[in-house]
Amino acid sequence: MKKFLITLMMALAPMTASAAGGAGVPLDSFEGDLTDQASLQRGMQTFVNRCMGCHEAGYQRFERAAQDLGMPNALVEEYLILDPAAKIGEHMKSAMAKDDAATWFGAPPPDLTLEARLRGSDWLYTYLRSFYKDESRPWGVNNAVFPDVGMPNVLEDLQGKVVNHCTPEELAHSQDEIDPLTGKTMGGCLTVDEAGSQSAEEFDKTVYDLVNFMTYMGEPSRLESERLGTKVLIFLAILFVFAFALKKEYWKDVH
Ligand code: HEC
């Protein structure tokens, strides 16, 4: 009996521990919630409106997202498929030609379907909130976790203009939690100078939803497995009652 319980606990442990982040620079931690459909829907909307001008999610179909996120196809067709030629069954492709993009930006905007898996959701969540003004860069912005990035701050109108008060070394250092010499954290280096249309909390929420959606895209089957996982647990619990009753029945004459 004890053995059975231990085995059961070991089988369940990975579900609660979830995928812990890898080593590297400490980033703002991101705890996604793939069951929050409203958040995923808002994230998809931001992704379509703000990112797909340059990036695509070439392995994600609109229809599958509609299904997984609980949205009627007609609504997705009307509000989320901006390219009039694209159909619901198609992948989330960008209209921008790759060669043009590489010429304009120096580096082509990569496909973002699996970006959350590639870089990690923590990284994405930090990256999108870490742009700051830097006149020496072509787009007038730089990024704390992606130095000399070739992407403009496409969320600047929401976040506002961010200034950096630290030297590049301090900025890089400040991500190691708190710098013991200066006592500064990354939050201390970057502050909003000119307010955007959202407050700091609202902006964090917008990026949260966006990264939540990108996490879903990276692992569409996780939504499915989480739902299935609950059913399996209920099944196991019921099975346990019967197995236990049966065990009692078998052993009752032995003792
Ligand atoms: C104006 C075009 C443009 C838009 C709009 C845009 N990006 Fe980018 N993005 C780029 C370019 C160009 C790069 C490549 C930068 C480089 O490698 O220096 C990039 C790089 C990235 C990277 C890093 C990729 C990697 O791993 O190297 C991420 C993540 C990213 N973009 C996310 C987003 C998200 C999320 C949005 C929407 C909120 C967005 N981008 C909107 C042009 C754009």
Side-chain angles (χ1 to χ4, degrees):
M1 183 61 206
K2 240 187 202 157
K3 258 195 198 148
F4 173 74
L5 275 181
I6 291 171
T7 322
L8 188 70
M9 271 159 68
M10 271 165 63
L12 300 183
M15 292 187 194
T16 46
S18 84
V25 207
L27 301 162
D28 295 345
S29 77
F30 176 85
E31 195 67 51
D33 180 2
L34 296 184
T35 60
D36 187 347
Q37 288 198 328
S39 159
L40 294 172
Q41 290 170 4
R42 283 191 299 268
M44 181 169 175
Q45 197 173 13
T46 308
F47 185 81
V48 166
N49 288 322
R50 301 266 176 169
C51 316
M52 275 183 69
C54 299
H55 295 274
E56 54 187 31
Y59 304 95
Q60 174 71 51
R61 284 183 203 276
F62 283 108
E63 198 169 19
R64 172 78 197 261
Q67 226 173 48
D68 287 343
L69 273 50
M71 292 181 286
N73 282 2
L75 274 187
V76 172
E77 271 171 336
E78 193 172 342
Y79 295 107
L80 295 177
I81 304 184
L82 305 184
D83 177 358
K87 301 267 182 311
I88 185 96
E90 286 176 22
H91 290 109
M92 296 174 68
K93 296 271 192 199
S94 153
M96 191 192 281
K98 284 205 175 60
D99 294 349
D100 286 346
T103 319
W104 294 334
F105 300 105
D111 188 290
L112 293 181
T113 323
L114 300 176
E115 186 69 11
R117 278 241 302 261
L118 190 70
R119 296 275 197 179
S121 303
D122 287 356
W123 187 89
L124 269 182
Y125 183 64
T126 313
Y127 166 71
L128 291 168
R129 289 155 50 258
S130 300
F131 283 91
Y132 62 89
K133 265 202 290 197
D134 181 351
E135 297 309 334
S136 72
R137 299 293 308 156
W139 297 108
V141 286
N142 210 326
N143 192 284
V145 294
F146 192 150
D148 295 345
V149 68
M151 169 175 147
N153 183 5
V154 295
L155 301 175
E156 191 177 85
D157 58 310
L158 306 177
Q159 184 184 23
K161 288 209 160 76
V162 175
V163 275
N164 170 29
H165 305 285
C166 303
T167 64
E169 293 75 39
E170 277 178 331
L171 188 61
H173 234 79
S174 63
Q175 289 165 36
D176 299 336
E177 291 166 43
I178 297 168
D179 184 337
L181 292 179
T182 60
K184 281 179 190 159
T185 60
M186 190 153 93
C189 283
L190 303 181
T191 54
V192 175
D193 185 27
E194 266 170 58
S197 61
Q198 295 189 335
S199 69
E201 293 77 41
E202 284 167 345
F203 181 68
D204 283 355
K205 183 80 180 78
T206 301
V207 178
Y208 176 91
D209 293 339
L210 175 59
V211 175
N212 210 16
F213 174 70
M214 292 175 74
T215 307
Y216 150 74
M217 274 202 303
E219 292 181 84
S221 46
R222 203 166 98 190
L223 254 181
E224 188 71 28
S225 16
E226 279 179 11
R227 280 181 205 146
L228 194 66
T230 319
K231 288 183 194 149
V232 170
L233 284 185
I234 295 172
F235 171 77
L236 279 179
I238 296 171
L239 185 72
F240 172 76
V241 174
F242 284 107
F244 190 67
L246 195 65
K247 181 218 161 219
K248 277 204 132 163
E249 184 62 28
Y250 279 162
W251 284 86
K252 82 174 174 229
D253 301 329
V254 177
H255 295 299

